[in-house]
Amino acid sequence: MTNLPIWTTPYPIHGLTRNQLRKYAEEGIDDLIYKLTHTPEAPEEKVPKVKPTGMIEFRDIDYADVYEKFNRLFLERRWGDGIPLVPPTREKVDWMLTGTDRSPDEIIARIHPSQRAATVESIATNAVMAGAIPAYMPVIITAVEALDDPCIFKGCAETMGACAPMLVINGPIAKQLDINSKAGYQGPGWRANATIGRTIMLLWDTVGGSIPGWTRMNTTGMPHLFNCIVFAEDREQLDRVGWASYSEEQGFDRETNTVTATAAFLIPHGVVSIPSSVDTAKGVLEVMVKWATPYNHQPGGGPRIIQPTFIFNEVLARLFTKEGWTKDDIKKAYVKLCDEKWSMPIEEYHRTVAATDVWYKQLSEEEKAGMRVPLFTDNPERMIIFMAGGAIHLMHYFSLRRKTGGDWVIREIKLPANWDRVLAEANIKPHPHPVIVVGPSME
Amino acid sequence: MANNEKRDEVVLQVLDPTGTAVAKRVSLAPAPNTLEGKRIGLIWNSKPNGDVLLEEVAKLLQQRYPTSKIVNGTVFCCGPDEGTLEKIAKEVDVALVATGD
């Protein structure tokens, strides 16, 4: 960390009057002027340019006690999520590295907020801690690369808002690794979903130094910060409905493995329940649009900020396809209806959803007079529909904000040359799913 | 994990999960010894009242240093990209950057 001079005021300054802020300024101005006119001394060089990976040793009379000591130290150092970890011994990390043929020293990304380098080896180390297996490494490494893309919101590891990464996997690898795409896809029970995401979050804790309350300023935190949201699009449901997957929409063929990633404010997100009495495309759209009330969206940031993402299952998809609707038809209609329903007068926008909006403050009175603010994107391509979940009248909705977490990045997963062997050694036994009996309404 | 010479002691050695530290050396520009005649840039991170606090600070600085100049008299908006930062660096002598909430 540099010795950048920092001037602080009492917290918070939100909600104070100008006079109160002037008082803070007056009380602190001498200190501020000193800091602006004196170059601080360079900090002591404590860390060499490249530090060999250190080993940490624990001793006790039996393994249970040694394991407890390891967990206590790691969790005290905030190298973890609070749940006991798997010890990253040299042997286990070497085992994890068998899942990739990339060099252990290769730097994959810099992790916020510290911007320390995540190498293949440190990724493998955290993957061991998370409880992953070598076969997950290609997905994990690709996800780390994707989340390092310039258009991904790096503040996710630091923000006060509720923000977490999401990873969606497409291609044959989803089934090979038994990444859940059906009922319970966002919940527990699948090692791949749980530990791929947990590795990412542990990287944020360890390599990134993202510590709740200190460097990660989440006001509430959220459950997704344990292991992100990781799922696969369901190929079977897509095929039965006749829809292309998200990765196919982006130009990849169905045999190509991809990770689609974002790091987004999940404000709001939740389950949209479509009443069982609703059985038309128009009816479903009406519920979807009503659910998208901007009052729970935090859409500050100006017009067209909200970008919706829905996760359909085939029951709901068929309510559209039986009337001849395509995915594009749904997106165009939804975006248009949200525009009509959820544009609001600018003063209401300022008062209820965007009180401190930079964009609002830069408008002149003439510009504001009579203005209505359209909140949702008017570009259907910015709306995303994934396919996953159990077969019922429920879908999931995420709202992403353009500029802060509103972008998805898709990357092809490169497999190691010995992938067949990695997979064979993984010996993954998929969890069975109940067989869905297709009824008349789904034909 | 291995047993060492003491028969009843278990040793567990694990890797440091923070990995290798590849330090990027960043040095600060030397501070001016006065703000007289200097251009002072204000960078607001869009958080509530950050702009107001910067404005009040700027007013006090201008009272103390009448020959100083608040660049453009406005605040730069949040999250400047690298190109914007380079531009700001050419236009100001010191910058106040609001961070946090």
Side-chain angles (χ1 to χ4, degrees):
Chain A
M1 190 158 187
T2 66
N3 50 339
L4 198 65
I6 296 176
W7 180 72
T8 59
T9 66
Y11 176 84
I13 61 171
H14 182 195
L16 300 184
T17 64
R18 184 176 281 272
N19 283 343
Q20 287 170 312
L21 294 171
R22 183 179 304 124
K23 193 156 175 287
Y24 280 174
E26 286 164 355
E27 287 168 0
I29 195 65
D30 290 332
D31 183 40
L32 176 63
I33 289 170
Y34 181 88
K35 284 174 171 155
L36 285 173
T37 54
H38 289 76
T39 308
E41 287 179 12
E44 197 182 306
E45 188 75 40
K46 285 181 187 164
V47 176
K49 283 205 175 136
V50 175
K51 168 170 79 89
T53 304
M55 300 294 287
I56 306 169
E57 189 174 277
F58 305 90
R59 293 170 178 258
D60 214 307
I61 56 168
D62 66 30
Y63 183 71
D65 292 329
V66 149
Y67 179 67
E68 177 63 18
K69 277 187 174 173
F70 151 74
N71 264 297
R72 278 183 182 265
L73 180 79
F74 268 49
L75 296 178
E76 279 164 17
R77 288 193 178 172
R78 315 310 293 268
W79 291 343
D81 51 16
I83 298 173
L85 304 158
V86 178
T89 60
R90 182 73 258 171
E91 294 80 11
K92 286 288 260 189
V93 174
D94 287 342
W95 169 70
M96 190 61 68
L97 286 168
T98 63
T100 179
D101 51 12
R102 294 170 81 160
S103 166
D105 293 330
E106 183 187 349
I107 295 175
I108 302 298
R110 292 191 179 272
I111 310 293
H112 276 242
S114 73
Q115 302 213 46
R116 279 197 289 253
T119 59
V120 171
E121 182 172 84
S122 60
I123 292 172
T125 304
N126 283 271
V128 168
M129 289 161 61
I133 61 174
Y136 302 161
M137 281 291 283
V139 177
I140 294 169
I141 291 172
T142 309
V144 174
E145 284 176 325
L147 290 168
D148 195 42
D149 191 282
C151 72
I152 293 290
F153 176 50
K154 302 303 186 302
C156 197
E158 304 148 23
T159 180
M160 60 175 280
C163 191
M166 283 199 282
L167 308 173
V168 184
I169 290 91
N170 286 99
I173 201 170
K175 252 191 153 38
Q176 289 170 337
L177 300 183
D178 194 29
I179 300 174
N180 191 15
S181 62
K182 299 184 191 295
Y185 68 93
Q186 287 190 42
W190 273 258
R191 188 174 185 176
N193 301 59
T195 61
I196 289 170
R198 193 182 185 206
T199 304
I200 302 295
M201 297 316 306
L202 289 177
L203 278 168
W204 282 20
D205 296 334
T206 59
V207 177
S210 182
I211 303 171
W214 294 92
T215 52
R216 184 192 304 164
M217 307 312 290
N218 286 182
T219 310
T220 58
M222 59 191 312
H224 305 305
L225 290 168
F226 278 100
N227 51 0
C228 311
I229 300 172
V230 177
F231 63 95
E233 275 204 278
D234 195 84
R235 188 75 250 178
E236 288 152 8
Q237 292 188 61
L238 284 164
D239 286 344
R240 285 197 291 262
V241 163
W243 277 2
S245 67
Y246 177 76
S247 60
E248 286 171 302
E249 288 177 313
Q250 302 310 305
F252 294 91
D253 65 51
R254 58 190 291 149
E255 296 306 312
T256 302
N257 298 309
T258 59
V259 171
T260 303
T262 191
F265 285 107
L266 303 176
I267 304 171
H269 77 99
V271 175
V272 182
S273 177
I274 309 294
S276 53
S277 57
V278 171
D279 59 2
T280 63
K282 190 166 166 244
V284 178
L285 265 175
E286 188 184 354
V287 175
M288 287 165 67
V289 170
K290 278 196 179 153
W291 211 89
T293 167
Y295 297 102
N296 61 357
H297 270 72
Q298 199 191 349
R304 306 283 178 214
I305 202 87
I306 299 172
Q307 301 182 127
T309 297
F310 280 94
I311 304 169
F312 275 54
N313 59 62
E314 65 180 310
V315 167
L316 292 168
R318 282 177 191 275
L319 292 178
F320 288 91
T321 59
K322 72 178 184 180
E323 294 180 26
W325 288 58
T326 64
K327 240 204 247 188
D328 281 344
D329 292 333
I330 299 171
K331 291 178 187 181
K332 283 178 187 150
Y334 178 81
V335 160
K336 182 168 176 291
L337 286 168
C338 280
D339 212 11
E340 288 166 8
K341 185 164 180 62
W342 293 122
S343 299
M344 58 172 64
I346 190 154
E347 290 309 326
E348 184 186 354
Y349 165 87
H350 176 63
R351 193 178 64 247
T352 59
V353 298
T356 60
D357 202 308
V358 171
W359 167 77
Y360 173 86
K361 286 195 171 193
Q362 291 172 337
L363 293 170
S364 66
E365 291 308 312
E366 291 73 27
E367 284 169 319
K368 282 190 253 181
M371 181 192 275
R372 291 183 69 85
V373 183
L375 297 172
F376 279 73
T377 180
D378 57 354
N379 179 358
E381 288 180 15
R382 301 294 299 193
M383 176 178 169
I384 295 178
I385 295 177
F386 293 114
M387 178 77 82
I392 198 147
H393 273 217
L394 298 171
M395 62 173 70
H396 206 103
Y397 171 75
F398 295 97
S399 157
L400 305 182
R401 288 196 302 180
R402 185 172 55 88
K403 290 193 239 177
T404 51
D407 278 316
W408 292 87
V409 168
I410 184 165
R411 294 282 176 96
E412 182 179 345
I413 301 169
K414 298 287 185 202
L415 298 174
N418 63 341
W419 176 241
D420 289 340
R421 183 172 162 191
V422 170
L423 213 49
E425 286 177 358
N427 193 23
I428 294 169
K429 301 268 185 288
H431 288 321
H433 289 275
V435 174
I436 295 174
V437 176
V438 177
S441 66
M442 289 171 61
E443 286 169 359
Chain B
M1 181 171 80
N3 290 326
N4 71 358
E5 290 179 8
K6 291 183 187 174
R7 266 180 291 171
D8 54 355
E9 192 168 73
V10 166
V11 179
L12 176 65
Q13 290 182 332
V14 299
L15 269 71
D16 179 342
T18 61
T20 55
V22 181
K24 208 164 131 181
R25 197 174 181 105
V26 177
S27 54
L28 296 176
N33 55 16
T34 176
L35 295 178
E36 283 296 1
K38 294 295 183 286
R39 301 163 298 170
I40 303 171
L42 306 175
I43 303 177
W44 175 36
N45 66 346
S46 85
K47 294 299 182 168
N49 270 343
D51 54 337
V52 178
L53 182 62
L54 284 171
E55 284 167 12
E56 292 302 319
V57 165
K59 282 182 203 168
L60 290 172
L61 289 174
Q62 285 217 281
Q63 281 171 18
R64 293 270 190 114
Y65 302 99
T67 58
S68 70
K69 185 185 171 201
I70 303 299
V71 176
N72 292 333
T74 59
V75 298
F76 292 102
C77 186
C78 52
D81 58 30
E82 209 167 305
T84 308
L85 284 175
E86 282 170 7
K87 185 171 177 292
I88 293 171
K90 288 180 184 145
E91 293 175 357
V92 306
D93 299 301
V94 296
L96 295 175
V97 182
T99 185
D101 277 277

